[in-house]
Amino acid sequence: MGPLAGIKVLDLSRVLAGPWASQIFADLGAEVVKIERPGAGDDTRAWGPPFAENGLSAYFCAANRGKKSVTVDMAAPEGLAIIRRLAEEADVVLENFKVGGLKKLGLDHESLRALNPRLVYCSITGFGQTGPYAPRAGYDFLMQGMGWLMSVTGVPEGEPMKAGVAVVDVFTGLYASTAVLAALVERGKSGVGQYIDLALFDVQIATMANQISSYLISGEQPKRLGNAHPSIVPYQVFETQDGHLILAVGNDEQFAKFCRLAGRAELAVDVRFAKNPDRVRNRAELVPVLEEILRLRTTRAWCEGLEETGVPGGPINSFADLDDDRQVRARGIFNDLGGGVRAVANPMRFERTPVDDRRQPPQLGADTDAVLEALGISPDELTALRHKGVV
């Protein structure tokens, strides 16, 4: 029994941010009912190749394991009635429709909480429910640009770059799960649910962390530094004799250890480099020296030496490297779910209430009959609904 056993989540979201949050709930033991369009389903079902042996796209598999798929046509009055009945029994509703989109259907938070005052309702949009940008559609790529991430990502002489993963969607899913769990805890005290307004744009700005803090304090726009760090030196990628290495020196003691490992102990007592603020100021002088030093050994030789001396560093792995990594194997990070689906394990490790992250993502509509019969809809009614294309 996971820590959220007994919690029911009605998931009206699709693509990534909302499904990422609801997948966390499913892993934690909640019953997640995913509402999808009959015949088509979540957009990401078609986002491939690659597709697994069971026909599911890799993209869909990344964010939908452990859920129940129920196909319902929201455009039909009967379909809306089904969703309202599900909401009456739910603890949580997740949705990522455009602002006002569900209000027209009577599925907005005010309408559903009138049916179920204990409902925690979370809306995920591009720009939130208020402000001049609220009507706009929001996409991860746009948020990375508009929310400042791309201005500090990439090499100084190149174009601004996005991250290689839809990090704004993933971060928003994490914030959504945190917000919903907090609201559930508060509901345990007050007895009533509440509405959560979550925007990708807000999340992107919030997750700029030290970079946005530096701007707010100094008023200076951080520069693109490629793989280097604005406040720590050396903390970047270096070429080695046969590839590349990440050297992540976090303090002066680690820098001294690295210098001894490199046979250049004098650098650690040089007034230009002894303290981190000095290394940051004199980055242009120190980095070329380190580049020459690091090219003298292989990546593996450096990694072994850094591990022995307690200096953070490591290789730049491909996915194939991770597949054969001893730490990955020891932690059981990759799971075989069957049907040709391999998945990444949920990283949360509970002592008494383990996650259930080994269930397959659902085939489209696989759970429609079981979920609707549990609502009291008879087999004959289901047949009629299916004949009309409602489910």
Side-chain angles (χ1 to χ4, degrees):
M1 299 289 286
L4 291 185
I7 295 295
K8 295 183 177 182
V9 178
L10 178 59
D11 185 7
L12 305 181
S13 68
R14 65 270 191 212
V15 185
L16 188 52
W20 195 264
S22 58
Q23 179 172 262
I24 292 172
F25 298 141
D27 286 350
L28 293 175
E31 178 188 358
V32 178
V33 173
K34 181 179 179 69
I35 302 299
E36 302 191 71
R37 292 171 297 167
D42 190 309
D43 297 350
T44 62
R45 287 185 180 274
W47 287 9
F51 294 93
E53 293 172 8
N54 60 11
L56 297 177
S57 74
Y59 201 116
F60 181 82
C61 290
N64 289 286
R65 65 171 170 253
K67 304 176 186 178
K68 296 179 178 179
S69 173
V70 174
T71 50
V72 177
D73 182 7
M74 287 187 181
E78 300 94 331
L80 293 176
I82 288 171
I83 295 174
R84 290 193 188 99
R85 289 177 66 178
L86 288 168
E88 286 185 68
E89 297 187 359
D91 296 284
V92 178
V93 167
L94 279 171
E95 64 92 3
N96 63 348
F97 284 75
K98 290 182 180 179
V99 172
L102 290 182
K103 188 175 182 62
K104 300 173 184 177
L105 302 175
L107 299 178
D108 57 302
H109 72 98
E110 292 176 337
S111 299
L112 294 186
R113 285 173 59 214
L115 300 174
N116 179 1
R118 289 176 56 81
L119 191 65
V120 173
Y121 190 116
C122 180
S123 294
I124 298 174
T125 56
F127 295 94
Q129 303 294 312
T130 59
Y133 296 170
R136 297 187 186 180
Y139 293 89
D140 180 279
F141 193 3
L142 292 176
M143 298 305 145
Q144 290 194 38
M146 296 179 68
W148 217 50
L149 179 58
M150 290 177 64
S151 75
V152 296
T153 305
V155 295
E157 64 275 11
E159 66 178 2
M161 297 294 294
K162 70 177 182 66
V165 173
V167 291
V168 189
D169 281 339
V170 171
F171 285 151
T172 302
L174 293 171
Y175 269 100
S177 62
T178 301
V180 167
L181 292 175
L184 288 173
V185 170
E186 194 280 334
R187 187 187 72 175
K189 304 171 186 176
S190 67
V192 295
Q194 60 181 304
Y195 179 61
I196 299 166
D197 169 14
L198 198 60
L200 272 70
F201 187 61
D202 299 358
V203 169
Q204 171 56 79
I205 297 172
T207 53
M208 288 306 297
N210 59 296
Q211 292 280 42
I212 193 74
S213 180
S214 294
Y215 168 76
L216 293 173
I217 289 173
S218 71
E220 296 181 7
Q221 163 70 27
K223 297 179 175 61
R224 295 199 305 276
L225 296 173
N227 288 313
H229 195 286
S231 306
I232 310 173
V233 174
Y235 198 98
Q236 64 184 80
V237 172
F238 289 94
E239 285 188 14
T240 64
Q241 194 177 85
D242 63 348
H244 293 86
L245 171 84
I246 295 172
L247 182 61
V249 170
N251 56 51
D252 299 334
E253 181 182 358
Q254 290 175 357
F255 181 65
K257 288 180 178 179
F258 167 76
C259 292
R260 290 195 294 271
L261 172 65
R264 296 294 300 274
E266 75 279 5
L267 292 174
V269 295
D270 189 312
V271 294
R272 297 171 298 171
F273 313 135
K275 302 294 183 183
N276 183 68
D278 298 316
R279 293 195 294 276
V280 172
R281 281 189 288 268
N282 295 298
R283 182 196 305 265
E285 298 174 61
L286 177 60
V287 169
V289 175
L290 299 182
E291 288 174 337
E292 291 183 10
I293 294 171
L294 286 155
R295 289 194 192 101
L296 299 177
R297 305 181 198 176
T298 65
T299 298
R300 181 173 181 177
W302 278 117
C303 287
E304 291 174 350
L306 292 170
E307 185 173 355
E308 290 174 2
T309 55
V311 177
I316 299 173
N317 287 326
S318 66
F319 288 144
D321 294 324
L322 288 181
D323 236 350
D324 196 42
D325 187 276
R326 55 181 178 164
Q327 181 69 13
V328 170
R329 293 199 304 271
R331 297 285 287 177
I333 290 177
F334 294 146
N335 290 332
D336 187 349
L337 307 186
V341 178
R342 295 182 71 211
V344 179
N346 190 304
M348 291 182 278
R349 310 293 175 99
F350 289 84
E351 178 190 10
R352 293 183 295 100
T353 55
V355 298
D356 184 3
D357 57 1
R358 293 178 177 269
R359 293 175 293 166
Q360 282 203 10
Q363 294 291 339
L364 180 61
D367 306 285
T368 301
D369 288 4
V371 170
L372 298 191
E373 286 175 4
L375 280 180
I377 297 175
S378 70
D380 288 343
E381 289 175 305
L382 273 173
T383 299
L385 290 170
R386 188 165 282 109
H387 181 72
K388 295 178 67 174
V390 175
V391 300

